[in-house]
Amino acid sequence: MPIAPYDIYTQSELTPAMFPERMLKASLPVAANQHMVKGTVVGVCTSAAANDAQTLSQASATGGTFTITFGFGTVYTTAPIPYNASAAQVQTALQALPNIGPGNVACTGGALGSAGVVCTFGGNLGNQPQPIFAINNAGLTGAGAAVSVAHTTVGIANGAMEPYASGNTDGSQTPVGILVVEVATDTQGNVTYGPLPVGNGFGAIRHIAPIAISGYFNTADLNGLDTNAATKLGRLIEGTTSVGVLCVTGA
């Protein structure tokens, strides 16, 4: 059976500036709900793992329904949820979404209008940052009626790769390498080589992605590079952080 064109893997790797045979690579898991282009300077989250939690609150509604849209890249929307829904009703609606599923979110508290409903991710979606719910209140009745959401706990993916930034405080402020290919992850941290979290070439699903931990790279090909990263990654052998060649000597 011939392979359909959309199954053909065409992702190109980051090209070293010189001595390509000296590029050394390692592989790391990637945090959920990420899109990073090749050449991104990356770090690793070292903070303690935590489940993502979001709290729904309802004010002023006298009737009607609302919906919740959830996802990164590919999004899905719940069936209409009653304005005064119990935690169990919210949980049923969320678990019906293809990108959540049974056992991957637990809802407590409520009912809406009298108390908040806390939605805590777990199972396959646990210990990962998750996108905040988008609420559609068009179906609610009552003056000023609205369901709102607060991101009460942002999930933490201990040991997973994230974009480096010197101002981060979760461990990713320390660069460990340079992403070799463009990647995106879905809500479970499944890795796609490419811009959207829709599955890999040839149907493969991975949980890791390659990074360069040694080699010579044009700084113009790198994303997120600053003087701190250049110092910690290796040594700049020519030019500046914006124009030159970075010699990565190991992570």
Side-chain angles (χ1 to χ4, degrees):
M1 180 178 178
I3 298 173
Y6 55 79
D7 285 332
I8 296 175
Y9 175 76
T10 58
Q11 178 68 239
S12 60
E13 290 192 352
L14 178 68
T15 303
M18 60 181 73
F19 309 125
E21 71 280 0
R22 297 186 184 180
M23 181 173 73
L24 297 179
K25 293 187 286 186
S27 294
L28 289 173
V30 188
N33 308 298
Q34 300 287 326
H35 173 224
M36 295 182 284
V37 297
K38 66 182 179 180
T40 298
V41 179
V42 297
V44 172
C45 177
T46 58
S47 295
N51 289 329
D52 200 276
Q54 303 180 31
T55 300
L56 300 174
S57 301
Q58 184 261 93
S60 303
T62 57
T65 61
F66 67 98
T67 60
I68 301 173
T69 298
F70 174 76
F72 173 77
T74 301
V75 300
Y76 295 93
T77 299
T78 65
I81 302 170
Y83 76 100
N84 59 350
S86 66
Q89 288 175 299
V90 175
Q91 179 174 301
T92 297
L94 289 173
Q95 289 190 354
L97 297 180
N99 57 349
I100 294 183
N104 294 322
V105 68
C107 299
T108 58
L112 288 175
S114 59
V117 171
V118 181
C119 306
T120 304
F121 291 93
N124 293 330
L125 304 185
N127 297 331
Q128 297 276 4
Q130 297 297 343
I132 193 166
F133 297 140
I135 310 297
N136 186 328
N137 290 312
L140 294 175
T141 59
V147 172
S148 59
V149 58
H151 212 160
T152 41
T153 302
V154 177
I156 298 174
N158 175 268
M161 182 195 313
E162 300 175 355
Y164 154 82
S166 60
N168 290 349
T169 58
D170 64 354
S172 58
Q173 67 271 21
T174 301
V176 299
I178 300 165
L179 191 64
V180 174
V181 294
E182 181 181 16
V183 300
T185 52
D186 64 11
T187 53
Q188 298 185 32
N190 296 317
V191 175
T192 295
Y193 286 0
L196 293 174
V198 294
N200 263 289
F202 307 112
I205 293 178
R206 297 174 174 84
H207 296 277
I208 58 176
I211 63 170
I213 59 173
S214 180
Y216 296 81
F217 303 95
N218 285 317
T219 55
D221 293 336
L222 307 183
N223 292 275
L225 182 69
D226 59 16
T227 54
N228 177 65
T231 299
K232 292 184 177 180
L233 278 172
R235 58 189 179 89
L236 198 67
I237 63 171
E238 179 183 343
T240 67
T241 54
S242 58
V243 181
V245 175
L246 180 72
C247 173
V248 178
T249 56

